[in-house]
Amino acid sequence: MLIDFFYHLKAAQLPVTIREYLDLLGTMEQRVAAPNLNEFYYLTRTVLIKDERFYDRFDRAFGAFFNGVPDLQEAIEADIPAEWLRKMIERHLSDEDKRKLEKMGWDKLMETLRERLQEQDGAHHGGSKWIGTGGTSPFGAYGYHPEGVRIGQKESRNRSAVKVWDKREFRNFDDSVELGTRNIKVALRRLRQFARTGAVEELDLDDTIRSTADRGGMLDLKMVPERHNAVKVLLFLDVGGSMDDHVRVCEELFSACRSEFKHLEYYYFHNCVYERVWRDNRRRHDETIPTWEVLNAYGGDYKLIFVGDATMSPYEILYPNASVEHWNEEPGQVWLQRLINTFSKAIWLNPQQDAYWDRIPSVQVIREIIGPTRMYPMTLDGLEQGMRYLAK
């Protein structure tokens, strides 16, 4: 036992040596201390520890070895992750408590936020009024409110914020995803208008046979331009937020579109289209493209496809300055309507199950704008229906 105790003290980084261990054995042989744990504690501390700076560390090691007392000091001295501390101030509300919280409406919410910014002079946690963390205030982070402004929170939790003050990073959809099935590509092939354009590089077998026969068997090769799908597609992809749940199916669709449509242009947006879109999510804060430029860059023969779950606060669609990421001068519905007016053949593909559409107010608003029959679920049947509509 004493050997194990000695190694335990060494593991606790106490400066004990073989010389001191032998001294301890000698004093025990001389029966210097009474045979009880208390006396043994003082004996070992006196013999083994020569510097009082190590008394506290020895006490912890002694208690852990003989009494099974955990080394609480190590836990106290350890770096406690900030995430653990944040979790301590979060309030866990019952469904009944959540129902008691009232929504303010967009105008009152923004006016109240301006007042709080002017009045508040310090940090607050766990309350129901000030900008802070935890609690039921409509302003801040890591709390709960059915209709609030999220400030300084890394990710969405309850998906109830109507505006977000935060810099979020999205990633581009992967256009090289290998589909486990060809069904999506087959569905997209409903939208095909073949044409032969470009260089003459493909053998026209029927014309070659006909011409060779006319020349009495003398071979006469006939070449034609390669046959391509001439359909032009303009793809708008919602990214981030609630769309994180649908990344895989969107990547499969995006990959299939890149393969099927030679004339494909794509842009990203978040929740709703506003005055600017982007091509690269990694540089979306630095390299955006005015939506007016998109409207003027492509002809009306382009087929317009929106891809998104249309799940957001209805304010983001209907009100100015309601975007979760910036202060937009015009409502999202204005930009959606401009796009639909420019590209008459337009559909919306929704990865959200259509059984839930009637329960989501923002989906109803988008369907009213895009046309109630022009939103399709992102299922194989939904894709085929959407492609048939665009091909008319």
Side-chain angles (χ1 to χ4, degrees):
M1 181 188 73
L2 288 178
I3 293 177
D4 292 339
F5 177 55
F6 176 75
Y7 282 120
H8 178 73
L9 296 179
K10 294 286 287 185
Q13 298 183 340
L14 286 163
V16 292
T17 66
I18 296 295
R19 176 69 268 170
E20 284 132 6
Y21 177 71
L22 294 175
D23 290 342
L24 177 62
L25 292 179
T27 57
M28 293 182 67
E29 289 177 354
Q30 297 297 322
R31 300 184 182 274
V32 174
N36 63 66
L37 190 61
N38 189 55
E39 292 287 334
F40 180 72
Y41 160 76
Y42 286 108
L43 174 63
T44 53
R45 194 182 72 171
T46 301
V47 174
L48 298 177
I49 307 301
K50 306 302 183 183
D51 191 331
E52 63 182 12
R53 292 179 302 168
F54 297 105
Y55 279 1
D56 287 341
R57 189 181 302 177
F58 175 82
D59 290 349
R60 296 197 301 269
F62 188 94
F65 185 83
F66 287 101
N67 298 327
V69 178
D71 194 346
L72 298 180
Q73 184 64 27
E74 289 185 6
I76 295 173
E77 293 176 350
D79 291 332
I80 301 176
E83 179 72 10
W84 297 2
L85 296 176
R86 179 181 62 74
K87 285 290 185 182
M88 292 175 63
I89 65 172
E90 290 186 26
R91 294 177 60 182
H92 299 282
L93 304 177
S94 66
D95 292 339
E96 183 178 354
D97 291 334
K98 292 179 179 179
R99 285 193 291 269
K100 293 178 181 179
L101 300 175
E102 297 182 359
K103 298 181 179 181
M104 295 185 181
W106 176 257
D107 294 334
K108 185 177 179 181
L109 185 68
M110 292 297 102
E111 181 61 31
T112 305
L113 176 58
R114 279 191 285 269
E115 293 175 359
R116 296 289 184 273
L117 290 171
Q118 293 174 357
E119 297 172 1
Q120 187 166 337
D121 57 4
H124 290 268
H125 308 286
S128 60
K129 175 181 178 179
W130 299 106
I131 302 169
T133 56
T136 58
S137 169
F139 315 110
Y142 304 110
Y144 176 81
H145 196 278
E147 187 181 75
V149 179
R150 200 173 85 214
I151 304 173
Q153 181 176 310
K154 183 179 179 181
E155 70 286 320
S156 176
R157 297 167 66 248
N158 300 303
R159 293 180 177 171
S160 60
V162 298
K163 193 169 185 66
V164 177
W165 278 359
D166 195 9
K167 182 177 180 180
R168 292 178 289 174
E169 300 297 334
F170 306 145
R171 71 178 182 87
N172 295 333
F173 287 144
D174 187 352
D175 63 355
S176 64
V177 171
E178 290 295 329
L179 303 182
T181 173
R182 292 178 55 85
N183 290 340
I184 293 181
K185 290 185 178 181
V186 172
L188 293 178
R189 286 172 188 168
R190 298 283 184 182
L191 181 58
R192 279 185 165 181
Q193 296 173 3
F194 285 112
R196 295 191 181 275
T197 59
V200 177
E201 56 185 18
E202 186 175 279
L203 176 67
D204 187 340
L205 184 58
D206 291 339
D207 196 14
T208 297
I209 294 173
R210 188 181 305 108
S211 179
T212 300
D214 290 343
R215 296 185 61 186
M218 295 294 294
L219 183 61
D220 185 14
L221 296 177
K222 296 294 183 180
M223 308 295 289
V224 293
E226 187 179 356
R227 189 168 176 254
H228 293 291
N229 187 355
V231 168
K232 300 176 181 178
V233 175
L234 186 57
L235 191 63
F236 280 82
L237 299 155
D238 185 6
V239 64
S242 58
M243 283 297 292
D244 288 345
D245 297 339
H246 312 292
V247 166
R248 179 63 186 179
V249 68
C250 287
E251 285 188 334
E252 291 181 350
L253 176 68
F254 185 44
S255 183
C257 286
R258 292 291 293 265
S259 173
E260 287 298 313
F261 302 123
K262 180 182 179 182
H263 304 286
L264 173 69
E265 301 292 340
Y266 66 91
Y267 297 92
Y268 293 106
F269 67 96
H270 179 56
N271 284 357
C272 190
V273 178
Y274 298 106
E275 70 276 5
R276 58 180 181 263
V277 290
W278 56 93
R279 294 292 294 269
D280 187 342
N281 282 307
R282 292 164 298 188
R283 303 187 61 81
R284 69 189 183 96
H285 298 289
D286 305 315
E287 297 180 1
T288 58
I289 302 166
T291 309
W292 273 121
E293 186 175 309
V294 177
L295 288 165
N296 295 321
Y298 307 105
D301 57 339
Y302 270 80
K303 313 294 185 181
L304 179 60
I305 302 177
F306 295 98
V307 179
D309 61 4
T311 301
M312 67 199 90
S313 165
Y315 297 134
E316 296 179 53
I317 310 168
L318 301 173
Y319 282 76
N321 301 326
S323 164
V324 296
E325 297 204 306
H326 72 291
W327 293 93
N328 53 300
E329 294 184 359
E330 294 183 295
Q333 65 173 339
V334 171
W335 290 104
L336 288 174
Q337 196 62 59
R338 285 170 179 158
L339 286 163
I340 294 168
N341 292 341
T342 301
F343 308 102
S344 58
K345 286 293 184 178
I347 63 170
W348 189 293
L349 298 177
N350 193 332
Q352 184 76 259
Q353 293 185 28
D354 54 353
Y356 299 109
W357 290 0
D358 291 337
R359 309 178 194 175
I360 305 173
S362 59
V363 173
Q364 298 304 310
V365 174
I366 293 292
R367 293 183 73 184
E368 184 177 344
I369 296 171
I370 197 79
T373 62
R374 293 199 287 177
M375 179 178 284
Y376 301 92
M378 203 182 295
T379 60
L380 295 178
D381 182 59
L383 283 173
E384 288 196 358
Q385 291 182 46
M387 296 306 108
R388 285 196 189 100
Y389 171 80
L390 292 177
K392 292 180 181 177

